[in-house]
Amino acid sequence: SRNPAFSAHVGLIVSAPTGSVSEKNEDGTFVHYGMQPGSGTWDLEPSLTVQGKGEVFGWGVQASYVDRLETANDSGYRLGNRFGATGWVSARVHERVSLSARLAYSDEGDIEGHYNAGHNHASPPDRQANYGGQRIEAGLGANVTVGQGLRIAAEATLPLHQDVNGFQLRKDAVRKVGKALGLPDSTHQRIPFPGPALAARVHCLGFRPDVQR
């Protein structure tokens, strides 16, 4: 249903496996699972969005789910199913400017199956158990209308809770901590392992080879 003050929308997307899942390194081995551009499976993606809008304030909630319909793609694995929910409020502070706040939750399963050809096991992104998990993020945004209808929007997000599967790199907040501690860019900007989270802990503990190992 839809009217100026309230609307509800139900969506259902069937996603075809058009993205590649066979990208490889120069040595012929598969790249990290997360670097493959597609899922390689047929996916079903239902969603529900409800939102309202007044003269000054607006609000909305949305829930969505990604259901992988196959047990494995052509490369031998399957991405985890994913549930997402988000809620937001907005306020019009000027005829051309509005501000928004958003809270988002996601829960994604780890990868099932295994590459069916040569691949590496040298770092956490090479292992299926190191994908997915639960996250809660908060976001603050601004929306500005310029000229005759040109709209510019920006949002900054901050992770509030992360319960990830296995070993994963935390989001950008930990990089900022590493930079504030004076760690060199080569440390807090690197891809794990060991990653900036561990490097920051080692720095705080002092030089201890047993911890670094």
Side-chain angles (χ1 to χ4, degrees):
S1 67
R2 183 177 293 275
N3 63 54
F6 176 84
S7 66
H9 176 77
V10 176
L12 183 62
I13 298 174
V14 178
S15 176
T18 56
S20 172
V21 291
S22 58
E23 300 300 307
K24 295 184 177 181
N25 299 302
E26 293 183 356
D27 63 1
T29 60
F30 279 116
V31 299
H32 301 322
Y33 292 99
M35 294 179 66
Q36 298 291 358
S39 69
T41 55
W42 286 90
D43 303 331
L44 189 66
E45 304 179 18
S47 65
L48 171 65
T49 305
V50 179
Q51 57 186 347
K53 186 176 182 181
E55 290 292 328
V56 177
F57 296 101
W59 61 273
V61 292
Q62 183 182 70
S64 61
Y65 189 74
V66 179
D67 185 16
R68 313 294 180 185
L69 300 179
E70 299 179 82
T71 57
N73 57 34
D74 290 342
S75 293
Y77 69 93
R78 189 196 78 171
L79 298 178
N81 295 337
R82 184 181 188 278
F83 171 77
T86 183
W88 66 91
V89 293
S90 63
R92 186 180 181 186
V93 297
H94 184 271
E95 63 179 4
R96 291 179 175 271
V97 181
S98 64
L99 303 177
S100 63
R102 183 173 64 90
L103 190 66
Y105 168 81
S106 65
D107 185 356
E108 184 172 5
D110 59 10
I111 293 175
E112 297 183 7
H114 198 271
Y115 271 138
N116 53 18
H119 59 285
N120 298 307
H121 292 91
S123 64
D126 292 317
R127 298 182 178 275
Q128 308 92 302
N130 295 330
Y131 287 84
Q134 298 178 345
R135 291 183 171 91
I136 299 176
E137 296 180 335
L140 294 175
N143 195 310
V144 180
T145 301
V146 180
Q148 301 299 316
L150 175 62
R151 181 172 294 179
I152 300 175
E155 183 184 60
T157 60
L158 176 69
L160 301 180
H161 171 74
Q162 297 182 85
D163 183 12
V164 296
N165 297 332
F167 294 94
Q168 296 184 44
L169 178 64
R170 301 286 175 170
K171 294 211 170 180
D172 286 342
V174 76
R175 295 184 186 272
K176 295 177 182 177
V177 171
K179 185 174 182 179
L181 290 171
L183 299 178
D185 288 350
S186 59
T187 299
H188 65 73
Q189 292 295 332
R190 69 181 296 180
I191 301 298
F193 189 73
L198 179 57
R201 290 197 293 271
V202 170
H203 181 87
C204 293
L205 289 170
F207 180 73
R208 288 180 53 189
D210 60 318
V211 174
Q212 289 182 314
R213 285 194 295 269

